[in-house]
Amino acid sequence: MPLFTWQELELQVCGKRELDIDLLKRNTNYVSGVSKEDPHVLLHWQMLEQFTPREHELFLRFVWGRGRLPIDDPSFTQKYQIMPFMGGRSG
């Protein structure tokens, strides 16, 4: 087993500290007729680019259940999915 610095070990175990939006885009599936060119999807990516590092972490915790992304494309065991809103107002 190669020896790692604590920073290298943290990266391998916990993932990248900063949100790599390009990495997330490459590992996103668009389902049920949603396209990466849809206006709301483009707005979603623009919004993420404007988030602070703390907001990135909170976003990832909300949609992923963890505060960091995997370190590279092969490490994604589950792709991020963007789906259409299927609900409606009841009442």
Side-chain angles (χ1 to χ4, degrees):
M1 178 174 154
L3 297 177
F4 295 107
T5 66
W6 69 266
Q7 296 94 339
E8 293 168 331
L9 184 60
E10 177 187 34
L11 181 63
Q12 292 295 319
V13 172
C14 300
K16 291 184 172 191
R17 185 175 293 272
E18 69 284 340
L19 175 63
D20 183 342
I21 295 174
D22 291 329
L23 176 64
L24 186 58
K25 283 181 180 181
R26 287 193 309 272
N27 289 282
T28 298
N29 291 332
Y30 302 91
V31 296
S32 300
V34 174
S35 165
K36 64 182 178 180
E37 301 300 323
D38 286 347
H40 69 282
V41 173
L42 296 173
L43 186 60
H44 169 72
W45 295 122
Q46 289 173 4
M47 173 199 66
L48 280 178
E49 290 170 358
Q50 295 176 15
F51 274 12
T52 65
R54 177 68 177 143
E55 290 169 329
H56 285 154
E57 180 184 347
L58 292 171
F59 167 77
L60 288 175
R61 286 198 185 280
F62 177 72
V63 300
W64 200 284
R66 58 187 277 183
R68 298 181 183 188
L69 288 179
I71 61 172
D72 55 20
D73 294 310
S75 298
F76 270 80
T77 57
Q78 181 178 354
K79 302 290 185 178
Y80 177 55
Q81 290 190 4
I82 298 181
M83 300 178 274
F85 178 66
M86 302 303 273
R89 295 191 119 183
S90 61

